[in-house]
Amino acid sequence: MITRNGAKMSKSKGNAVSPREIIARYGADAARCYVLFIGPPDQGADWSDTGVSGAYRFLRRLFRFTVQVCGTDAVTIGVSPGRDSSLALQRKTARTIQKVTTDMSGKFAFNTAIAALMGLTNDIGRALQDGIDLKTATFALSTTASLLLPFAPHTASECYYRLTGEHVWKQPWPEPDAKLLHAETVELACQINGTVRGRITVPQGASEEAIRAAALDLSEIRAAMGARSIERVVVVPGRLVNFVVGRSAAV
């Protein structure tokens, strides 16, 4: 069942959405992406007009980044990128390939697959702004377009052709580089009482003691904590470290 504003969508209730109007305003790709993104009707999907515009903006960003990359002959885009930034985007791309492939294989989790592609596109945007080499940017964008083909074929085909000169539907499904899937380091959010104050990068498999020490070494954490005492430390491997602090000063 698909609902809208909390009520079952139907003509009798006057809350139905005309596909022609949505397609005329946002295009077939955005409409298709959003319908798949909100999840299967049998799981209580809820329609949102702003959600459709969100899918449209996602596709526009991907196309804009594609035009930006195709419009330069420079070896790098933005400020001079470091090796770590290129490697980080390569790893994210490999993990997204694995995620989308898994979501599409058997369980047909279209919503989480599209969410992963949105996340990768956001990372590409940050990389283009902060600095990235052209080869890595092209690889990440063309891979995104290839994975997007089942959901937004028109946008995916156009972006892929601009980037590679090839037709995406003639190419094999992307496969992740196994070496890129194994990250040597992991980024953790550092929180105080559940509020993110900074981030740290630690070796994969670092001990809780090492994670706690690295987080406490952050100037943002020290400033936000002040003289308050630490009551408890919660470490979620691969995700975050949270300091539960009291109101009183440490003795």
Side-chain angles (χ1 to χ4, degrees), residues 135-160:
K135 182 178 179 180
T136 298
T138 302
F139 165 69
L141 282 168
S142 60
T143 300
T144 303
S146 185
L147 296 172
L148 185 66
L149 182 64
F151 313 113
H154 304 291
T155 305
S157 300
E158 180 66 21
C159 289
Y160 194 90

Side-chain angles (χ1 to χ4, degrees), residues 173-186:
W173 185 258
E175 293 187 7
D177 186 332
K179 293 181 292 185
L180 293 174
L181 292 175
H182 178 72
E184 298 177 357
T185 60
V186 61

Side-chain angles (χ1 to χ4, degrees), residues 31-228:
R32 183 186 295 107
C33 266
Y34 180 66
V35 169
L36 295 173
F37 181 73
I38 61 176
D42 59 356
Q43 294 182 13
D46 187 64
W47 179 273
S48 166
D49 293 342
T50 57
V52 186
S53 64
Y56 175 68
R57 289 194 301 272
F58 154 57
L59 298 177
R60 283 191 63 182
R61 283 198 303 273
L62 177 61
F63 184 77
R64 186 171 70 251
F65 297 155
T66 297
V67 171
Q68 179 182 352
V69 168
C70 292
T72 180
D73 295 325
V75 177
T76 62
I77 301 174
V79 299
S80 181
R83 178 181 179 276
D84 290 344
S85 61
S86 295
L87 183 58
L89 186 57
Q90 291 168 14
R91 290 190 187 280
K92 180 61 179 285
T93 304
R95 289 195 294 269
T96 303
I97 295 173
Q98 185 181 52
K99 170 67 174 171
V100 174
T101 302
T102 300
D103 288 347
M104 294 287 287
S105 301
K107 58 182 182 179
F108 303 115
F110 302 134
N111 53 340
T112 54
I114 295 172
L117 292 174
M118 289 178 173
L120 177 57
T121 302
N122 289 338
D123 280 10
I124 293 171
R126 283 189 289 267
L128 291 174
Q129 184 175 8
D130 297 339
I132 196 72
D133 66 89
L134 183 62
K135 182 178 179 180
T136 298
T138 302
F139 165 69
L141 282 168
S142 60
T143 300
T144 303
S146 185
L147 296 172
L148 185 66
L149 182 64
F151 313 113
H154 304 291
T155 305
S157 300
E158 180 66 21
C159 289
Y160 194 90
Y161 186 79
R162 284 176 179 250
L163 290 160
T164 68
E166 303 288 342
H167 296 299
V168 64
W169 60 86
K170 294 183 178 180
Q171 309 307 313
W173 185 258
E175 293 187 7
D177 186 332
K179 293 181 292 185
L180 293 174
L181 292 175
H182 178 72
E184 298 177 357
T185 60
V186 61
E187 185 180 73
L188 305 179
C190 299
Q191 302 177 342
I192 294 180
N193 291 342
T195 300
V196 177
R197 300 291 185 176
R199 295 181 180 276
I200 57 172
T201 300
V202 297
Q204 188 74 265
S207 66
E208 291 192 9
E209 292 76 11
I211 292 173
R212 171 175 172 161
L216 287 173
D217 195 44
L218 274 182
S219 59
E220 297 92 339
I221 291 295
R222 295 197 304 270
M225 190 176 297
R228 291 179 295 174

